[in-house]
Amino acid sequence: MPQPHRLLVVDDEPDLRTLYELTLLKVGYQVDAAADLAQARHYLAQQAYDLLITDMRLPDGLGLELVLGESGTGKELVARSLHACSHRADGPFVAVNCGAIPQTLIESEYVIELRIAPLRERRNDLAELVRALLERLAQRNGEAAAPCITPAALQLLGRYEFPGNVRELENILERAMTLYPGPTLEAESIQLPSMEAGAPDREQLEQLLKRNRWNQSRSAREMGWTLAKLRYWTQQLGLD
């Protein structure tokens, strides 16, 4: 039997907090309620939540959400979804790369942190992610319908660690749809980088670079890697 989704409600108004909690419990959710940011942080440190509902202005700060995660996990997509569901949905969405912002400033401005788990830690989501990505790729390419993926191909994907997370998964599926057009993606269409002690296969990496005419930026995007990671491995494997 599937477990009910767990939600965290953060609001300093006791009546509203109780109303949210009772309403959500009635429809089958598990709910924790916090009166301020300190209590919310305590809950978030102890428990993973499927959804966070927060007031903007709280006694000890603003209920702004900082979306954190590894490269390629879909942080901006999550942030855009949060924005679209907020009361500010009609306003502009501005994506900010927090890597260039001092940690102390981030902590003072973004008082609630939402951490997105890497793909390797949420393999149960893989089938649903694959279906959603195939539909998005088909729509982007102007195709009438998305291809289906066979259980064998999905099983092959499930054994891969995805260092580039969802972005790398999308690149792998896009390559499969390009090289193996048709209504079904078989296991042979899934071309995964060979990982040996954490290192990419030299021949496959060289073929990728040649296919992209040694354009490292384009090759890094296709792999779902950062440019720094690609440069590191090209140097290590003597491909620079």
Side-chain angles (χ1 to χ4, degrees):
M1 182 176 178
Q3 292 294 319
H5 293 296
R6 182 175 286 274
L7 281 62
L8 175 61
V9 174
V10 187
D11 200 303
D12 61 327
E13 293 287 343
D15 292 343
L16 282 176
R17 198 165 61 246
T18 301
L19 177 62
Y20 290 143
E21 190 172 7
L22 292 176
T23 302
L24 293 168
L25 285 170
K26 187 182 296 184
V27 294
Y29 293 110
Q30 293 183 358
V31 183
D32 290 324
D36 54 32
L37 294 178
Q39 193 174 7
R41 288 195 185 103
H42 173 75
Y43 278 124
L44 289 168
Q46 303 296 322
Q47 171 72 48
Y49 291 92
D50 298 294
L51 182 66
L52 171 68
I53 302 173
T54 178
D55 191 9
M56 282 294 293
R57 298 189 179 277
L58 296 163
D60 50 351
L62 298 177
L64 298 177
E65 295 150 298
L66 175 62
V67 183
L68 302 175
E70 295 180 6
S71 176
T73 51
K75 296 184 291 297
E76 185 173 335
L77 182 61
V78 170
R80 287 184 181 278
S81 298
L82 289 171
H83 176 73
C85 295
S86 74
H87 68 284
R88 297 186 175 185
D90 293 336
F93 173 85
V94 180
V96 178
N97 181 0
C98 294
I101 302 176
Q103 183 67 24
T104 53
L105 179 59
I106 290 176
E107 291 174 353
S108 66
E109 293 295 329
Y110 296 93
V111 286
I112 298 177
E113 295 181 352
L114 298 182
R115 296 187 178 274
I116 304 175
L119 185 53
R120 62 183 176 275
E121 294 180 8
R122 46 192 175 108
R123 296 184 188 275
N124 290 339
D125 296 337
L126 185 61
E128 187 175 348
L129 276 171
V130 167
R131 283 192 291 270
L133 289 171
L134 287 174
E135 289 177 4
R136 185 165 78 174
L137 289 168
Q139 186 177 20
R140 183 192 302 169
N141 297 334
E143 299 177 11
C148 298
I149 188 165
T150 65
L154 196 59
Q155 188 177 28
L156 183 62
L157 288 169
R159 294 198 295 266
Y160 184 55
E161 288 297 312
F162 289 102
N165 289 294
V166 178
R167 185 183 301 131
E168 185 179 9
L169 172 61
E170 183 173 14
N171 290 334
I172 289 169
L173 294 174
E174 184 173 24
R175 186 161 58 245
M177 290 175 65
T178 301
L179 298 177
Y180 295 86
T184 305
L185 292 179
E186 305 282 352
E188 64 178 12
S189 68
I190 305 300
Q191 300 179 8
L192 300 175
S194 175
M195 305 299 288
E196 189 172 317
D201 181 81
R202 187 185 190 282
E203 183 178 351
Q204 288 188 357
L205 185 56
E206 185 176 16
Q207 290 176 355
L208 173 70
L209 288 164
K210 286 180 177 178
R211 185 166 68 247
N212 289 318
R213 298 182 179 179
W214 297 92
N215 184 312
Q216 291 193 342
S217 296
R218 188 183 306 157
S219 299
R221 284 196 300 271
E222 186 171 335
M223 289 288 289
W225 287 2
T226 63
L227 187 56
K229 181 176 180 178
L230 179 64
R231 286 174 175 166
Y232 171 81
W233 282 117
T234 54
Q235 291 173 359
Q236 292 294 311
L237 298 173
L239 295 171
D240 54 337

